[in-house]
Amino acid sequence: MRVSVTTTLHEAFNISHYLCFVPQVLGFEVDSINSVQFSNHTGYSHWKGQVLTADELHVLYEGIKLNNVHHYDYVLTGYTRDTSFLEMVVDIVQELKRANPSLVYDKSTHFFPSSPQYVPQNLYPVYKNKVVPVADIITPNQFEAELLTGKTINTEKDAVEVMDLLHAMGPDTVVITSSDLPPRLGDRFLVSLGSQRHVHPDGSRTTERVRIEVPKVDAVFVGTGDLFAAMLLAWTHHYPNDLKTACEKTFSVMHHVIQRTISHAHDLAGPGRRPSPPQLELRMVQSKADIEDPAIVTEATLI
Ligand code: ADP
């Protein structure tokens, strides 16, 4: 299985490692293109580096194509703020899909920061009209799911309707990574919902929907969205018609990585002090065994 990965513009550098490391550990061959090369992610006080332009991306793609090695099974891309870069990604994905019609495109992580005032207005139509229609897997948060569909989520039923609307826009797999829905397990949990359309050999269609609750940790991590998308891509490859299992594996890995990271961060920060961004860098390499074979710690319920 070959995967092409474009890393994120926003969160760069170490994040590119998540997008590559996870599929590699799980046995995928990965070609990666760094959409930026930054000193560190932008959650730090300072960062320096270069941003790849749409033309530069095209040059790299031309090189791959000239060698006739543009036959990918999966494409995974991260966040970008630049409209022309995003449009180039869509053009390339469309061409790769012509080379391999069963190619799966996973639009990793979030389209927008989770607050309306930060949404760059020129990006929104490109996401809605160009990116989402070619994407097979999307992992929006509640805000993005609402923005893309124009429907507010107040209940689980609303969430199901929103996921159906998102399916109608293109993607067969939708996971809303976090929501404001009330958790059944208590305040310190986070509710996520997933939906997957299955086409059966006789042509009939069904939709599998799941709800999952994970413990919330009082810290802001950078790169969890990318890690999540890379895991979901890998586990939906291994369990193509079983969203429940793919989600249980994905959310369980997230749990193990986050717990390992927060406990290490508290050790570094010392008693009573809030960990800093470098202390909160996700403990990826240390979590290799969990990525490969996660102990299931969270059960998804079918809804
Ligand atoms: P990002 O904002 O980095 O894109 P998300 O907020 O979408 O990441 O999180 C993706 C997944 O990571 C969530 O579904 C959840 O499983 C996990 N996650 C992220 N932050 C936390 C947290 N503070 N506590 C628990 N889980 C978290």
Side-chain angles (χ1 to χ4, degrees):
M1 288 293 141
R2 291 184 67 216
V3 191
S4 169
V5 164
T6 315
T7 60
T8 72
L9 175 62
H10 170 58
E11 295 170 329
F13 198 66
N14 63 341
I15 311 301
S16 64
H17 300 330
Y18 310 159
L19 287 177
C20 299
F21 180 73
V22 167
Q24 281 173 332
V25 162
L26 289 166
F28 293 80
E29 255 183 78
V30 178
D31 288 351
S32 69
I33 291 177
N34 287 328
S35 54
V36 297
Q37 167 110 330
F38 281 178
S39 52
N40 44 265
H41 71 65
T42 55
Y44 284 71
S45 314
H46 307 277
W47 69 91
K48 298 255 179 220
Q50 303 81 37
V51 178
L52 195 77
T53 65
D55 287 345
E56 288 162 345
L57 172 64
H58 191 247
V59 167
L60 294 175
Y61 176 60
E62 284 295 321
I64 294 170
K65 217 166 52 168
L66 283 171
N67 290 307
N68 196 25
V69 287
H70 59 299
H71 298 270
Y72 292 98
D73 302 293
Y74 295 94
V75 175
L76 179 59
T77 64
Y79 177 73
T80 172
R81 263 184 270 214
D82 181 79
T83 336
S84 60
F85 192 89
L86 196 55
E87 284 175 332
M88 181 61 73
V89 168
V90 171
D91 287 349
I92 292 173
V93 169
Q94 280 171 327
E95 209 172 296
L96 292 175
K97 282 193 168 192
R98 284 194 287 275
N100 175 14
S102 56
L103 179 146
V104 170
Y105 173 40
D106 182 335
K107 175 66 191 81
S108 146
T109 193
H110 299 315
F111 305 158
F112 313 119
S114 51
S115 179
Q117 67 262 36
Y118 295 122
V119 177
Q121 290 304 315
N122 56 338
L123 264 189
Y124 170 68
V126 185
Y127 272 113
K128 185 170 176 174
N129 302 323
K130 296 192 174 170
V131 179
V132 175
V134 295
D136 299 283
I137 304 178
I138 56 169
T139 50
N141 55 30
Q142 174 171 342
F143 165 72
E144 292 158 333
E146 290 176 340
L147 195 68
L148 287 168
T149 58
K151 185 174 166 59
T152 311
I153 299 176
N154 293 315
T155 62
E156 191 175 281
K157 185 169 165 285
D158 293 336
V160 167
E161 283 171 22
V162 162
M163 293 190 290
D164 280 347
L165 289 169
L166 291 169
H167 285 317
M169 292 166 73
D172 278 340
T173 304
V174 175
V175 175
I176 300 179
T177 51
S178 58
S179 73
D180 297 332
L181 293 179
R184 291 180 189 143
L185 298 176
D187 285 354
R188 298 169 73 169
F189 281 76
L190 198 67
V191 180
S192 305
L193 298 130
S195 178
Q196 190 170 52
R197 279 194 307 203
H198 302 295
V199 182
H200 301 280
D202 65 0
S204 64
R205 282 168 172 260
T206 51
T207 307
E208 178 186 353
R209 300 190 181 97
V210 298
R211 170 193 176 105
I212 203 151
E213 297 195 5
V214 293
K216 209 168 16 184
V217 171
D218 180 23
V220 176
F221 302 97
V222 174
T224 39
D226 286 302
L227 174 61
F228 184 90
M231 291 299 320
L232 187 69
L233 178 70
W235 291 116
T236 50
H237 165 76
H238 291 298
Y239 297 92
N241 294 309
D242 183 355
L243 183 66
K244 178 174 166 9
T245 303
C247 279
E248 286 172 349
K249 299 251 186 199
T250 301
F251 280 97
S252 293
V253 178
M254 295 307 300
H255 177 81
H256 296 308
V257 173
I258 284 173
Q259 290 302 325
R260 184 171 287 111
T261 301
I262 195 69
S263 133
H264 180 71
H266 282 313
D267 286 349
L268 292 175
R273 304 188 64 163
R274 275 191 90 77
S276 63
Q279 292 167 340
L280 284 167
E281 289 279 8
L282 296 179
R283 302 290 279 166
M284 292 299 299
V285 175
Q286 298 77 3
S287 303
K288 179 171 168 283
D290 290 319
I291 294 169
E292 283 174 303
D293 187 17
I296 300 301
V297 291
T298 178
E299 198 189 335
T301 43
L302 293 171
I303 53 173

